[in-house]
Amino acid sequence: MRKRALGVAALATLAFAATACGSSPSASPTAAPSASASAPAAGGGTLVIWADPLRVKPLQPFAEQFGTENGVTVEVKEISKDNQMTFLTASQQGSGPDVMIGAHDWIGNLVQNGAIDPVTFTEEQKASFSPKAIQAVTFDGQIYGAPYALENIALIRNTDLAPDAPATIEDMIAKGKELKEAGKVKEVLCIPVGQKGDAFHVYPIFASGGGALFGATASGDPDPKQVLLGSEESVKAFGKLKDLGEKGDGALRTSLTNENYIVNFAGGKCAYLVSGPWAISEVKKGGITYDISAVPAFKDGKPATPFVGVQSFFVASKGKNKALAQEFVANYVTNKDVAKALYDADPRPPALTAALEEVQAADPDAAKFLDAGKDGMPMPAIPEMAAIWEPFGIAENAVVRGGDAAKAAAAAQKAIDGALKN
Amino acid sequence: MALDVREAAPAGTRGRPRREITTAFVVSRIVVLAVAAAILLYAVPPLVATGSWVALGLLCGVSAAIAYLYLTRRFIPAKYLIPGTVFLVAFQVFPVVYTLTTAFTNFGDGHRGDKAAAVTAIETGSVRQAPGSPEYTLSVATRGEELVFLLVDPATKQVSLGTADGLTPLDGARVGVTGKVLAAPGLTVLKAPEAAARGQEITALAVPTGDGVIKANGLSRAVEGKAALVYDAACDCVRGNGGTWTADESQGYFVNARGEHLAQGWQVNVGLDNFARVLTNPTISGYFAGVLGWNLVFALVSVLGCFALGMGVALALHHPRMRGTRVYRILLILPYAMPAFAMLLVWRDMFNRDFGLINQLLGAEIDWLGQTGTARLGVLLVNIWLGFPYMFLVTTGALQAIPRELTEAASIDGATPFRAFRRVTLPLLLVALTPLLISSFAYNFNNYNAIALTTDGGPFPADSPQVGGTDLLITYTFRLAFGAGGAQFGFAAAISVFIFAIVAVISAVAFRRTRKQEEVYA
């Protein structure tokens, strides 16, 4: 009796295991033309969108609406770590999404890895975006993504302590030092430096001091063959950072890091903060009355141009449903309501002019940030940019601690040249 | 086990003792096999989708072997060996082989796919909209089985039929207000869901025109475009934009006469290049000795510090007159029980010069992580704090196993407690713990987290942004392989091989010495 039970069970399991293999070859022809063929009557196709945690929720209703209108299933999946790398690895293995959301400065690297396709906009669509957003997502003469939000850093000041927006960096430092001597604040300026520097936040000051990263090609794009970090102008700019540093005015300090600089401002420990729209919620929590203006320039200096980052939707080259992805990116998310919903979830100024106008009316901060970034430079999207961040940051850290500007600039230039040669 | 052995014996003439087959036995066997089968089944669809027939064949073979193995009464030892072997192959042998093979390629950013993928990416990426061409409103229809495009020029409202053969004007179509075609004679216009279901066919369809093609841009628009760059198989090159880029199989790039290359490359075998680069690149070999020296010090001090501290505490708590040992034990395990990631970040903030707890407690102004000496001291302190509870735990365990009579005998023989410890307890402890100390050394030699999360290699001198004061080989090379030049998996794999070799040699020497030591004690 027992023996027979075992035999039956064994047969059943064997049959089960056998079907695992047996059914697969016959399944392949139907599986090949994507999942779509499986249920053509009920519509078909699945659109998979990958987004970071902040954007999953606001995107959901629009994704669903798009799904109903086109009779497809739309899946918005949250990716929270190393998004660019995860996307590249998954694309390569064929398990990637159809639509990816990310910053425009990924474009160079994604293109060299063949991971995204160009997006075609009509002239009318192009005109509906802010020109800077279109410039940012353009790489090598092609538009590679649908932009939806712009972000740049600005000077946020505590209006109780510093009622007037400073006209120059010198004014700001003087006021900051005055407040510090009076014991009203503990820091002259809250800007992250840390042990490895922070190229993104210090860039407007560096640019105002005359520093530059890349030369320009004939078409006006950054030219990776001309790294200018070691140039004479950049050395001067590093010299100015040194003057602002720990052995000078004490405005730049390595002990202020990405983890504590906003907290310090929100706690009233400094009058000025250099940060982006992402800092606002914490500043509000601290109960600070604040105003936003552009990062000032040095007296007689060049404009203090911040980097402008553009959040974008990309069409994955290896996606299973590219027609749907194109439809979604080129013809759907360029919709004003989507832009506004994303803004509500994460208040960065929309790239779509119409959405921006509506947002501005309700939220003056968005307009002020955008105004502060109007001279900004879209972050170079070339893959070579990856080589800049760390050596630049370390050179910044070195001069802030009082190191020699010429030496630091030359070492950074050498490191970058070495990396780009490979 | 004994039962199984008897079972394995050849069927004798007498009724051999059989393992009793209970319901629980049958059920558990079915459950285990079903789970195994389910896992294997789960792997089938992705393999089919990617067309990995070899892997699929392998999978089927393995499943059949497993099913056969566990459904027969024979091969008893294999039943025990197979699971371990499968895991060994999957988690040890495969990664090592994969790392080794990757080390000989240029796999990394710009070289992720194969040549065909690079060509596709180059061609699709270079498609430009034909100047002055209309942006058609697209409707998808079928003519019999064939998928066709109905294209409406928004300016002239002219409807055209687009097929793989070309573009022909179409009369009699009814156009809706949005510019989409609602109906056309002899054609079935697809509704949105039906069109979406045939997305791949829509993407694939190219309607040839004078000197370009009309392709769908989503499901509702189509544009005429032309690829600026076209691959020519005859010369194995890419032409266009007034230039010719010839495939260079040694670099995995299309290169033109001036030595410039197109962005998209492919993966090729580069032989020993990656290894040669590690040895000859001045930024790597120049700093190698210094980094290796500090790395050895870091690993040694971490292990010995953890061991000394852990053993000291364990001895103190092992003392018979110690009270409240349970409370102490719980407290001591806390650092070990906390997630190291979070703790390392907390320590980093505590070392902050102006806002950190340590300076505030000491009333000092020390830039802990800003100077090489203090930064090294800092990471060592943090690492010992994180690691000593483990040593404490294993030492406590080992101490329990050493009979107290031995030390008592030593003290009766007139040995001082220290002498008894030195001559009796410590050697016995070391016999048990040396393998753990060696593996702990290997672990700390590659302790990426401890450095990356506290100092991230820093502080960096002004004149060398590549190598910081606390960089270990692993953090330093991680920066080289994944920092500036984008991800370079091939290069990183070559470096891993070097690091593996260093750790393996040190461990092998240490194990040899331990064996000798054991002979002495024995």
mmCIF file of all heavy atoms in Angstrom, chain B residues 46-63:
data_model
loop_
_atom_site.group_PDB
_atom_site.id
_atom_site.type_symbol
_atom_site.label_atom_id
_atom_site.label_comp_id
_atom_site.label_asym_id
_atom_site.label_seq_id
_atom_site.Cartn_x
_atom_site.Cartn_y
_atom_site.Cartn_z
ATOM 1 N N PRO B 46 12.803 32.699 -18.899
ATOM 2 C CA PRO B 46 13.836 33.654 -19.339
ATOM 3 C C PRO B 46 14.854 33.022 -20.284
ATOM 4 O O PRO B 46 15.331 33.683 -21.207
ATOM 5 C CB PRO B 46 14.497 34.109 -18.033
ATOM 6 C CG PRO B 46 13.982 33.244 -16.955
ATOM 7 C CD PRO B 46 12.746 32.582 -17.438
ATOM 8 N N LEU B 47 15.172 31.752 -20.053
ATOM 9 C CA LEU B 47 16.147 31.102 -20.934
ATOM 10 C C LEU B 47 15.574 30.954 -22.333
ATOM 11 O O LEU B 47 16.271 31.154 -23.325
ATOM 12 C CB LEU B 47 16.529 29.723 -20.376
ATOM 13 C CG LEU B 47 17.431 29.752 -19.145
ATOM 14 C CD1 LEU B 47 17.715 28.341 -18.659
ATOM 15 C CD2 LEU B 47 18.739 30.456 -19.454
ATOM 16 N N VAL B 48 14.285 30.608 -22.413
ATOM 17 C CA VAL B 48 13.648 30.487 -23.725
ATOM 18 C C VAL B 48 13.615 31.852 -24.388
ATOM 19 O O VAL B 48 13.928 32.002 -25.567
ATOM 20 C CB VAL B 48 12.223 29.918 -23.578
ATOM 21 C CG1 VAL B 48 11.491 29.986 -24.907
ATOM 22 C CG2 VAL B 48 12.283 28.486 -23.081
ATOM 23 N N ALA B 49 13.252 32.878 -23.604
ATOM 24 C CA ALA B 49 13.119 34.221 -24.168
ATOM 25 C C ALA B 49 14.426 34.698 -24.758
ATOM 26 O O ALA B 49 14.451 35.360 -25.786
ATOM 27 C CB ALA B 49 12.625 35.182 -23.093
ATOM 28 N N THR B 50 15.547 34.395 -24.092
ATOM 29 C CA THR B 50 16.823 34.866 -24.601
ATOM 30 C C THR B 50 17.445 33.876 -25.569
ATOM 31 O O THR B 50 18.496 34.143 -26.127
ATOM 32 C CB THR B 50 17.816 35.123 -23.451
ATOM 33 O OG1 THR B 50 17.875 33.954 -22.629
ATOM 34 C CG2 THR B 50 17.399 36.308 -22.597
ATOM 35 N N GLY B 51 16.789 32.720 -25.741
ATOM 36 C CA GLY B 51 17.300 31.742 -26.692
ATOM 37 C C GLY B 51 18.578 31.071 -26.243
ATOM 38 O O GLY B 51 19.399 30.692 -27.064
ATOM 39 N N SER B 52 18.764 30.965 -24.919
ATOM 40 C CA SER B 52 19.985 30.315 -24.425
ATOM 41 C C SER B 52 19.756 28.815 -24.398
ATOM 42 O O SER B 52 19.487 28.234 -23.347
ATOM 43 C CB SER B 52 20.322 30.802 -23.023
ATOM 44 O OG SER B 52 20.108 32.173 -22.910
ATOM 45 N N TRP B 53 19.892 28.178 -25.565
ATOM 46 C CA TRP B 53 19.537 26.760 -25.658
ATOM 47 C C TRP B 53 20.511 25.881 -24.917
ATOM 48 O O TRP B 53 20.141 24.850 -24.356
ATOM 49 C CB TRP B 53 19.421 26.341 -27.121
ATOM 50 C CG TRP B 53 18.471 27.230 -27.875
ATOM 51 C CD1 TRP B 53 18.764 28.024 -28.943
ATOM 52 C CD2 TRP B 53 17.084 27.433 -27.608
ATOM 53 N NE1 TRP B 53 17.644 28.719 -29.337
ATOM 54 C CE2 TRP B 53 16.599 28.378 -28.548
ATOM 55 C CE3 TRP B 53 16.208 26.921 -26.658
ATOM 56 C CZ2 TRP B 53 15.288 28.824 -28.567
ATOM 57 C CZ3 TRP B 53 14.891 27.367 -26.664
ATOM 58 C CH2 TRP B 53 14.447 28.305 -27.615
ATOM 59 N N VAL B 54 21.779 26.281 -24.892
ATOM 60 C CA VAL B 54 22.775 25.464 -24.191
ATOM 61 C C VAL B 54 22.445 25.429 -22.704
ATOM 62 O O VAL B 54 22.406 24.368 -22.071
ATOM 63 C CB VAL B 54 24.191 26.033 -24.422
ATOM 64 C CG1 VAL B 54 25.205 25.237 -23.611
ATOM 65 C CG2 VAL B 54 24.534 26.008 -25.897
ATOM 66 N N ALA B 55 22.167 26.623 -22.144
ATOM 67 C CA ALA B 55 21.849 26.711 -20.728
ATOM 68 C C ALA B 55 20.574 25.926 -20.434
ATOM 69 O O ALA B 55 20.468 25.244 -19.404
ATOM 70 C CB ALA B 55 21.675 28.163 -20.317
ATOM 71 N N LEU B 56 19.630 25.989 -21.360
ATOM 72 C CA LEU B 56 18.361 25.285 -21.166
ATOM 73 C C LEU B 56 18.612 23.779 -21.165
ATOM 74 O O LEU B 56 18.088 23.043 -20.322
ATOM 75 C CB LEU B 56 17.389 25.659 -22.286
ATOM 76 C CG LEU B 56 15.959 25.202 -22.068
ATOM 77 C CD1 LEU B 56 15.342 25.950 -20.907
ATOM 78 C CD2 LEU B 56 15.137 25.408 -23.327
ATOM 79 N N GLY B 57 19.448 23.331 -22.096
ATOM 80 C CA GLY B 57 19.785 21.921 -22.158
ATOM 81 C C GLY B 57 20.432 21.470 -20.865
ATOM 82 O O GLY B 57 20.095 20.420 -20.296
ATOM 83 N N LEU B 58 21.341 22.289 -20.377
ATOM 84 C CA LEU B 58 22.044 22.007 -19.132
ATOM 85 C C LEU B 58 21.050 21.893 -17.983
ATOM 86 O O LEU B 58 21.102 20.974 -17.165
ATOM 87 C CB LEU B 58 23.025 23.146 -18.865
ATOM 88 C CG LEU B 58 24.300 22.778 -18.116
ATOM 89 C CD1 LEU B 58 25.151 21.848 -18.952
ATOM 90 C CD2 LEU B 58 25.066 24.043 -17.766
ATOM 91 N N LEU B 59 20.128 22.845 -17.966
ATOM 92 C CA LEU B 59 19.115 22.883 -16.909
ATOM 93 C C LEU B 59 18.279 21.600 -16.938
ATOM 94 O O LEU B 59 18.055 20.969 -15.910
ATOM 95 C CB LEU B 59 18.221 24.103 -17.100
ATOM 96 C CG LEU B 59 17.160 24.333 -16.034
ATOM 97 C CD1 LEU B 59 17.797 24.865 -14.780
ATOM 98 C CD2 LEU B 59 16.112 25.307 -16.535
ATOM 99 N N CYS B 60 17.851 21.220 -18.141
ATOM 100 C CA CYS B 60 17.047 20.009 -18.259
ATOM 101 C C CYS B 60 17.848 18.798 -17.822
ATOM 102 O O CYS B 60 17.341 17.921 -17.100
ATOM 103 C CB CYS B 60 16.584 19.817 -19.709
ATOM 104 S SG CYS B 60 15.358 21.011 -20.192
ATOM 105 N N GLY B 61 19.104 18.753 -18.246
ATOM 106 C CA GLY B 61 19.954 17.633 -17.866
ATOM 107 C C GLY B 61 20.074 17.527 -16.363
ATOM 108 O O GLY B 61 19.889 16.450 -15.775
ATOM 109 N N VAL B 62 20.348 18.670 -15.732
ATOM 110 C CA VAL B 62 20.515 18.681 -14.282
ATOM 111 C C VAL B 62 19.217 18.271 -13.602
ATOM 112 O O VAL B 62 19.223 17.459 -12.665
ATOM 113 C CB VAL B 62 20.971 20.085 -13.812
ATOM 114 C CG1 VAL B 62 20.914 20.177 -12.299
ATOM 115 C CG2 VAL B 62 22.379 20.360 -14.287
ATOM 116 N N SER B 63 18.073 18.796 -14.103
ATOM 117 C CA SER B 63 16.801 18.433 -13.457
ATOM 118 C C SER B 63 16.539 16.942 -13.580
ATOM 119 O O SER B 63 16.133 16.292 -12.626
ATOM 120 C CB SER B 63 15.611 19.185 -14.059
ATOM 121 O OG SER B 63 16.004 20.251 -14.817
#
